Amino acid sequence: MILRLGTRASALARTQSGMVARDIEAAAAARGLDLTVELVHITTEGDVNRASLVGLSQTGVFVNALRDALLADECDLLVHSLKDIPVEQPQDIELAAVPPREDVRDALCTLGSSLEDLPAGARVGTGSPRRAAQVLALRPDLVVEGIRGNVDTRLGKLHDGFDAVVLAAAGLSRLGRLEDVTEFFAPEAMVPAPGQGALSIEIRPDADPEWADVVRSLDDADTRAAVLAERTVLQVLEAGCTAPVAAHATVAAGIVTLHARVVNTAGTLALNETATGPAAQAASVGRRIGHTLLGRGAARLMGGTP
């Protein structure tokens, strides 16, 4: 049996999808099922539109073309970086599995030694308003500028006038580029994006149960609960993946602990909330924090208003 796995064509997307493909084949073999997974490369709006993500209608910018291909039966399943998918799950597409999460941290790549050692006025590149705001909160004397492109393109900015760039540690790890990292940010210092470091596998609900159950077996309950709590904060705040909203949840002994942060774009004001609850009620924990943040003025911060 051959499964067609739809993926973006970037090096990182192909690497992530290849990892999932091998895991599916191994899980199928353990069940005595002869299954081969082939990658189908799909171009998305986010791949061809080089404008800033802040200027794009970002909801689904890296996702819609993949989902259209799935529904058109051009592929059998999809792999996404979970932080890229909209929080509202379509009824005609099943989030079949969230595999165990990779490193959630953000990473600084610089020709120097650390964020602290960068000179005043140094140029730091990032495509994320969340990262930009938190870098400015840590070092208001730096100049943060938006950049787009794949990992190699962003790292190349270090030889094109930038003193540092900030990337997700998970992507660098999957690409075997951790040697480019100068400093890892603790999640408490730079709270990650909701879903950062996690992958999602989507299928059609009417998929053949013989292989669909193999895909579902890759789901990690703790990771799914953690990202559900984080993404529910986004849902309550009605914020997209480019809003300066950060959330990081961990699960231990059936308890989810969630820390969420909303920062204004200048990095001068931040709202922080932390809550815990049963992992089985992860969405409720996320809703609680989201409504608390709204009550404290999160909407104004997301809009850039002091």
Side-chain angles (χ1 to χ4, degrees):
M1 181 186 302
I2 295 177
L3 288 185
R4 301 160 299 164
L5 191 162
T7 176
R8 294 171 60 204
S10 72
L12 178 56
R14 295 196 312 270
T15 298
Q16 293 176 162
S17 295
M19 292 166 51
V20 172
R22 290 190 294 273
D23 288 344
I24 291 173
E25 290 171 346
R31 298 182 178 208
L33 181 64
D34 183 13
L35 191 154
T36 300
V37 182
E38 298 180 348
L39 302 189
V40 177
H41 298 159
I42 298 168
T43 301
T44 74
E45 181 187 354
D47 296 312
V48 298
N49 191 329
R50 306 317 301 165
S52 166
L53 284 180
V54 181
L56 293 174
S57 174
Q58 77 274 8
T59 302
V61 72
F62 293 115
V63 174
N64 290 338
L66 291 167
R67 286 176 168 173
D68 288 344
L70 179 67
L71 295 175
D73 196 29
E74 296 171 10
C75 54
D76 302 301
L77 67 158
L78 306 173
V79 171
H80 309 283
S81 291
L82 195 145
K83 67 182 180 63
D84 291 335
I85 66 174
V87 293
E88 297 289 347
Q89 186 69 26
Q91 292 186 351
D92 51 359
I93 294 178
E94 176 188 341
L95 179 55
V98 180
R101 197 177 208 172
E102 185 43 281
D103 194 334
V104 302
R105 295 174 295 176
D106 289 300
L108 182 77
C109 303
T110 173
L111 300 178
S113 58
S114 68
L115 185 73
E116 182 180 355
D117 290 336
L118 289 175
R123 296 175 69 201
V124 179
T126 174
S128 161
R130 172 194 60 83
R131 290 182 183 132
Q134 292 189 93
V135 166
L136 289 172
L138 293 168
R139 283 288 307 273
D141 58 327
L142 299 179
V143 176
V144 181
E145 300 181 25
I147 56 174
R148 288 286 311 275
N150 59 32
V151 169
D152 284 335
T153 298
R154 297 187 191 201
L155 288 173
K157 297 293 184 180
L158 294 176
H159 304 282
D160 189 26
F162 281 81
D163 299 286
V165 294
V166 184
L167 300 167
L172 292 166
S173 175
R174 289 169 181 145
L175 287 171
R177 299 295 298 270
L178 287 178
E179 73 275 5
D180 292 297
V181 176
T182 307
E183 178 182 9
F184 292 101
F185 293 102
E188 299 78 21
M190 183 176 290
V191 184
Q196 184 159 308
L199 300 177
S200 64
I201 309 174
E202 292 184 328
I203 63 175
R204 292 185 299 275
D206 61 353
D208 182 347
E210 185 175 29
W211 65 260
D213 286 345
V214 174
V215 173
R216 295 183 185 110
S217 73
L218 300 185
D219 192 66
D220 181 72
D222 286 353
T223 299
R224 184 181 280 257
V227 299
L228 176 60
E230 295 165 4
R231 286 163 54 77
T232 301
V233 176
L234 273 186
Q235 187 175 37
V236 171
L237 295 178
E238 298 182 352
C241 63
T242 64
V245 175
H248 177 225
T250 57
V251 177
I255 300 297
V256 60
T257 300
L258 173 63
H259 174 205
R261 174 179 293 165
V262 178
V263 192
N264 69 343
T265 55
T268 55
L269 293 172
L271 297 174
N272 288 277
E273 286 292 334
T274 302
T276 62
Q281 299 174 18
S284 296
V285 176
R287 280 193 294 270
R288 189 193 326 158
I289 279 190
H291 287 296
T292 300
L293 288 168
L294 281 177
R296 295 181 60 197
R300 292 194 300 276
L301 261 64
M302 289 189 296
T305 303

